[in-house]
């Protein structure tokens, strides 16, 4: 029996410590920028805005738009099209970012981002929109 992975919102005062923990101090600006660019690439509905940062109980984390609205997602690489909540959209976007960072030319960082990818993917398995998340990243 596996333990349910939980997500906890990072308080505003701790946000600047969260990004270096997920992306490293050197790559935190690039990682955050990749997140917003990936959101733009995946949804014409995304027009910017505030994001909520989440720490996972398994050591991972993700970012999600801070809104109640839903996003139409279109993934050209696998022909997925669907509508998801902002939280599921954030999981999808962050998985794409970690997937891209897994190819970085540094073995330690490749392992870090691969671990983060799998930690978030494990969380996504129990997400209420798991089916849409996995179709989007497939």
């Amino acid at each position: 029996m596996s333990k349910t992975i939980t997500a906890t919102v990072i308080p505003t005062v701790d946000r600047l410590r969260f990004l270096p923990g997920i992306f490293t101090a050197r790559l935190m600006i690039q990682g955050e920028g990749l997140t917003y660019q990936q959101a733009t690439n995946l949804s014409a509905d995304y027009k910017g805005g505030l994001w909520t940062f989440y720490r996972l109980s398994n050591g991972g984390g993700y970012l999600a738009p801070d809104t109640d609205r839903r996003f139409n997602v279109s993934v050209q690489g696998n022909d997925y099209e669907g509508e998801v909540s902002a939280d599921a959209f954030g999981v999808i976007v962050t998985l794409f970012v970690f997937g891209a960072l897994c190819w970085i030319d540094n073995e330690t960082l490749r392992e870090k981002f691969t671990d983060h990818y799998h930690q978030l993917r494990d969380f996504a398995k129990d997400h209420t929109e798991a089916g849409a998340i996995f179709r989007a990243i497939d």
Side-chain angles (χ1 to χ4, degrees):
M1 178 181 248
S2 64
K3 186 177 177 185
T4 300
I5 300 165
T6 58
T8 304
V9 173
I10 300 297
T12 303
V13 298
D14 294 329
R15 288 170 63 99
L16 288 178
R17 285 191 293 256
F18 174 78
L19 289 175
I22 291 293
F23 295 117
T24 75
R26 188 186 78 165
L27 296 175
M28 69 183 226
I29 301 298
Q30 182 182 359
E32 188 177 24
L34 283 170
T35 302
Y36 306 144
Q37 183 60 52
Q38 191 63 251
T40 300
N41 293 345
L42 291 172
S43 179
D45 297 335
Y46 176 70
K47 305 292 185 207
L50 297 176
W51 286 61
T52 301
F53 300 171
Y54 295 92
R55 168 79 58 215
L56 300 178
S57 59
N58 65 357
Y62 70 102
L63 296 75
D66 188 4
T67 182
D68 291 331
R69 66 183 305 237
R70 296 181 65 79
F71 291 86
N72 288 300
V73 175
S74 177
V75 182
Q76 292 183 2
N78 67 11
D79 293 328
Y80 171 77
E81 296 210 9
E83 184 184 83
V84 297
S85 68
D87 190 68
F89 181 60
V91 171
I92 292 165
V93 167
T94 308
L95 282 166
F96 270 98
V97 170
F98 288 150
L101 291 172
C102 286
W103 298 99
I104 198 162
D105 190 21
N106 177 304
E107 184 176 346
T108 302
L109 292 176
R110 272 195 310 272
E111 288 178 18
K112 176 183 183 65
F113 296 127
T114 299
D115 288 346
H116 283 328
Y117 179 90
H118 288 287
Q119 291 164 328
L120 182 52
R121 191 175 181 280
D122 288 344
F123 168 75
K125 290 176 186 177
D126 291 325
H127 196 282
T128 57
E129 295 174 84
I133 292 168
F134 281 93
R135 284 191 302 275
I137 66 167
D138 183 23

